Amino acid sequence: MKPVVPFIPEAHSHEREVWQQELSGSLSDLAELKPFDALSEEERLAARVAIVANPDPAHVAALPNLVWVQSLWAGVERLMSELPEEGPLIVRLADPQMAETMSEAVLAWTLYLHRDMPRYMAQQRRGVWQEHFLKTPAERTVGVLGLGNLGTASAQRLRANGFTVAGWSRTEKTIDGVRCFHGPDGLKQILGEADIVAVLVPLTDQTRGLLGTNEFGSCKQGAAIINFARGAVIETGALVDGLDTGHLSHAVLDVFDEEPLPSENPLWRHEKITVLPHISAPTIISTASKLVARNLKTFLETGAVPDHVDRKRGY
């Protein structure tokens, strides 16, 4: 008899039915996937693994014998903050396709800034016909903050497209063709050199508020910011101040302290900010479902839990 695996999606996810269908198909030979509300009391007690996406913590707590949870998101901040430390292990979604998708987004919005798209859009609104000097990609330094899977793939893709690339991480790392910095001094140095700063660090206690007044003040005059990490990594007020004074030229923001971003929030209407609805690296359901199936198969056959979050590091 196949084990029952609880499925606890985000409460208002418009994709929950698609996930249910894809996961059920991928797991058909291994387990029966059941929504939390459809579980019997016996099935809740028997569950050793659950598949979740920003779940209600009360639902996870109602599964007292869980060994681990498979998150369908790469970010697990809410799970980290709301599940007890002695609770189930947390496995992030580490789909290689996500790194490719993110690197595509970093390249796309770097090109948007590199080719002065915001300036030309502003000129269009004013009916101004004016050409501006264009640098080559090699003359443009892009600083990538965060050199995990997503950051490394993004740095490599930028490098392959001719940009001068520098990278920063909390601890020392090496990437071919990329000048790498680390630690507080390295952060200040890379900010002072980069024309475009792409933020891809995970949100942890160490990276919350990583970029504030001092850091934006250390940025090169006219630098642009891309935040594809989490809203809380950046102090929004300090960013807006940097844009308003002209020290920073533009910001592409895909993540915010509150999501969805309320319609009355002034960031929507700031002339130097491009607002995106958290679309830089959406999960590709078809490939992610196959990865989840592989993780579950290994656990059911060997009892081995996939690589999971280190609660002390936060990722």
Side-chain angles (χ1 to χ4, degrees):
M1 185 176 178
K2 292 185 291 187
V4 171
V5 174
F7 176 47
I8 314 176
E10 188 179 15
H12 303 294
S13 172
H14 63 281
E15 297 177 336
R16 59 190 304 163
E17 292 183 4
V18 180
W19 271 114
Q20 176 83 36
Q21 182 176 356
E22 285 283 347
L23 286 168
S24 294
S26 296
L27 301 177
S28 60
D29 294 333
L30 302 170
E32 180 184 358
L33 190 73
K34 266 194 178 184
F36 175 82
D37 293 340
L39 296 171
S40 67
E41 184 61 27
E42 182 180 1
E43 288 168 339
R44 294 186 185 188
L45 293 174
R48 294 189 296 157
V49 56
I51 299 172
V52 305
N54 198 28
D56 182 338
H59 290 169
V60 179
L63 306 172
N65 295 310
L66 285 180
V67 176
W68 60 288
V69 294
Q70 171 69 69
S71 174
L72 298 179
W73 289 10
V76 291
E77 298 85 16
R78 186 182 178 195
L79 287 172
M80 289 282 293
S81 65
E82 296 185 352
L83 292 184
E85 284 197 25
E86 66 275 11
L89 301 174
I90 302 169
V91 177
R92 300 166 63 242
L93 185 65
D95 186 355
Q97 179 59 49
M98 185 173 289
E100 287 300 305
T101 303
M102 178 61 85
S103 70
E104 178 184 73
V106 171
L107 175 61
W109 292 99
T110 295
L111 288 169
Y112 168 83
L113 295 167
H114 168 64
R115 295 302 299 259
D116 259 347
M117 300 295 185
R119 180 188 286 186
Y120 287 118
M121 290 174 67
Q123 287 183 186
Q124 177 183 339
R125 288 192 290 270
R126 301 195 310 271
V128 174
W129 183 286
Q130 182 180 353
E131 180 181 358
H132 298 281
F133 175 76
L134 177 65
K135 291 184 177 182
T136 67
E139 295 174 296
R140 189 85 70 181
T141 297
V142 184
V144 178
L145 307 188
L147 297 176
N149 291 337
L150 303 184
T152 297
S154 298
Q156 291 171 333
R157 193 156 191 164
L158 290 165
R159 187 78 183 89
N161 281 270
F163 287 97
T164 298
V165 184
W168 177 85
S169 53
R170 289 197 308 112
T171 57
E172 188 172 2
K173 292 192 176 181
T174 302
I175 302 173
D176 288 344
V178 177
R179 294 176 60 225
C180 292
F181 301 87
H182 68 280
D185 291 340
L187 178 61
K188 185 174 182 179
Q189 187 171 349
I190 193 173
L191 291 176
E193 295 183 9
D195 298 291
I196 299 169
V197 177
V199 186
L200 294 169
V201 296
L203 178 59
T204 67
D205 290 342
Q206 290 72 39
T207 62
R208 187 178 298 275
L210 179 70
L211 300 182
T213 300
N214 291 337
E215 290 73 28
F216 289 128
S218 296
C219 284
K220 186 176 183 179
Q221 175 66 38
I225 307 295
I226 299 171
N227 188 10
F228 287 170
R230 286 292 184 267
V233 171
I234 283 179
E235 293 180 7
T236 303
L239 172 64
V240 171
D241 287 345
L243 294 167
D244 288 345
T245 62
H247 186 67
L248 302 176
S249 60
H250 199 82
V252 176
L253 304 180
D254 187 48
V255 288
F256 303 90
D257 293 327
E258 181 181 359
E259 295 183 8
L261 186 66
S263 59
E264 65 274 12
N265 191 297
L267 296 180
W268 282 107
R269 289 165 290 280
H270 197 292
E271 63 180 2
K272 293 184 178 180
I273 293 177
T274 297
V275 171
L276 303 174
H278 205 140
I279 48 81
S280 55
T283 301
I284 307 301
I285 294 177
S286 57
T287 60
S289 295
K290 292 180 176 62
L291 176 64
V292 171
R294 288 198 298 272
N295 286 347
L296 184 60
K297 184 174 188 292
T298 298
F299 175 70
L300 293 177
E301 290 179 351
T302 69
V305 178
D307 289 342
H308 49 275
V309 173
D310 182 327
R311 286 296 188 105
K312 291 183 179 178
R313 291 190 304 169
Y315 59 92

